[in-house]
Amino acid sequence: MNIVVAVPLSFDLTEFTEFLWLHRVPHRVVEQGEQQIVVVADNVDSVQLRDIFEQWRHGSALSDFSVARSAGRRQSVTAAMAGSWLTLTLIVASIGLSMLIGFGSNLELLVWFTILNPYQYGADTTALPAVFDAVSAEPWRVISPIFLHFSIAHLAFNLLWMWIVARRIEMHRGAFFISALVIISGVVSNIAQFIDGGPLFGGMSGVVYAVIGYAWWFDRQQPVPRYGVSQGLMVFMLVWLALGYTDVLSAIGFGSIANTAHLAGLVAGVLFGTCQSVLGRRQ
């Protein structure tokens, strides 16, 4: 969401909001302290609207203005694709690698992307030093499990949230920021899940919990939520996390759940947001 204007509560915005509705501009008016803030979607030209508002505020008639929506939509789609190329790359990589391993049925290929090869290390596959040995020789293993999915439902669930939330973070913070969040949370959740259950696991779930946790924590600290991770969504994700530690999800067909990866990813995402906030205040 982008802020168009912030004015005192006593300011009458009725005519301006009617103008926005007339031109089908999605917007919200949020009260924050002694101000009311007009916010619009990311694909709307907030600079143009701010200019229209200022001219209207100084006496111009809103009927003299128009909002070029069709061109704006085409430009916004192009900008969105360009601004979220890393998220799209992660999604394509997950689809491609999951299909390559036959959603877990092709063990010969699967063991090349698990955190270590269980056939190579044998009984040592529950020992953390084995991971360091494997990663030092084949460094992709520390992150590659996040691209492995073992069912279409598993893949679709994770990639849907990556598209909804991670894409917004990338468009707001940039590719470097989202790559740092994905790598840190991916490594942390992979190692945590290995310690808890061994090397045969996979999925983007730990990263999904990290990006949702980060976005939720960020929104809680802002006067106007940017990522749209509501309290209700966070409660749903926590309930899903709790259910994963029971037999309920397995009983209804979701199979084995990498619960420790979910929890580690969530903690990593919230800590990532906390560190960012602390550094931002110091700067």
Side-chain angles (χ1 to χ4, degrees):
M1 304 291 283
N2 293 320
I3 296 177
V4 177
V5 294
V7 295
L9 291 175
S10 58
F11 191 94
D12 187 1
L13 285 169
T14 304
E15 187 178 351
F16 185 67
T17 56
E18 287 178 350
F19 167 81
L20 296 179
W21 286 124
L22 178 65
H23 290 272
R24 300 179 182 178
V25 177
H27 67 280
R28 292 173 56 195
V29 179
V30 181
E31 291 187 5
Q32 181 69 29
E34 298 299 318
Q35 290 185 316
Q36 47 185 338
I37 303 170
V38 179
V39 295
V40 295
D42 290 333
N43 65 339
V44 176
D45 189 347
S46 58
V47 175
Q48 178 197 24
L49 293 178
R50 194 173 300 122
D51 181 61
I52 292 173
F53 175 84
E54 290 300 328
Q55 293 186 59
W56 167 69
R57 190 177 186 178
H58 290 90
S60 298
L62 287 174
S63 57
D64 295 336
F65 301 99
S66 62
V67 179
R69 295 293 296 157
S70 58
R73 278 196 295 269
R74 286 194 297 270
Q75 292 171 1
S76 66
V77 169
T78 303
M81 298 294 283
S84 56
W85 65 268
L86 183 60
T87 302
L88 287 170
T89 301
L90 294 172
I91 290 173
V92 171
S94 296
I95 295 172
L97 199 53
S98 297
M99 293 180 67
L100 183 67
I101 64 169
F103 292 100
S105 63
N106 190 334
L107 292 178
E108 291 184 3
L109 284 176
L110 172 63
V111 296
W112 280 97
F113 301 102
T114 52
I115 197 166
L116 55 77
N117 187 333
Y119 300 124
Q120 178 181 354
Y121 286 87
D124 290 334
T125 55
T126 57
L128 192 57
V131 171
F132 298 132
D133 291 341
V135 169
S136 63
E138 299 166 329
W140 69 84
R141 289 185 180 273
V142 75
I143 193 68
S144 58
I146 70 172
F147 300 107
L148 306 177
H149 294 82
F150 305 117
S151 71
I152 294 177
H154 185 206
L155 179 68
F157 182 84
N158 285 339
L159 299 191
L160 174 65
W161 289 116
M162 288 297 290
W163 177 250
I164 292 173
V165 184
R167 179 175 61 93
R168 295 177 184 175
I169 297 174
E170 182 180 357
M171 293 182 69
H172 179 219
R173 293 290 183 183
F176 178 81
F177 185 91
I178 193 65
S179 63
L181 178 55
V182 168
I183 290 171
I184 291 172
S185 62
V187 170
V188 168
S189 60
N190 283 344
I191 292 176
Q193 184 61 41
F194 167 79
I195 294 172
D196 181 58
L200 292 177
F201 65 88
M204 192 74 71
S205 302
V207 175
V208 167
Y209 268 89
V211 298
I212 290 178
Y214 165 79
W216 170 78
W217 185 245
F218 181 90
D219 279 356
R220 282 180 61 87
Q221 300 176 75
Q222 305 302 312
V224 179
R226 174 169 289 274
Y227 301 124
V229 177
S230 65
Q231 197 76 9
L233 173 57
M234 199 63 204
V235 169
F236 167 78
M237 297 302 289
L238 291 175
V239 169
W240 188 268
L241 175 63
L243 287 175
Y245 282 96
T246 70
D247 294 329
V248 173
L249 296 181
S250 297
I252 60 177
F254 281 93
S256 180
I257 306 296
N259 304 305
T260 305
H262 295 178
L263 180 59
L266 177 62
V267 172
V270 172
L271 289 178
F272 197 91
T274 301
C275 293
Q276 180 203 1
S277 298
V278 171
L279 292 174
R281 285 195 293 268
R282 288 181 177 179
Q283 290 175 355

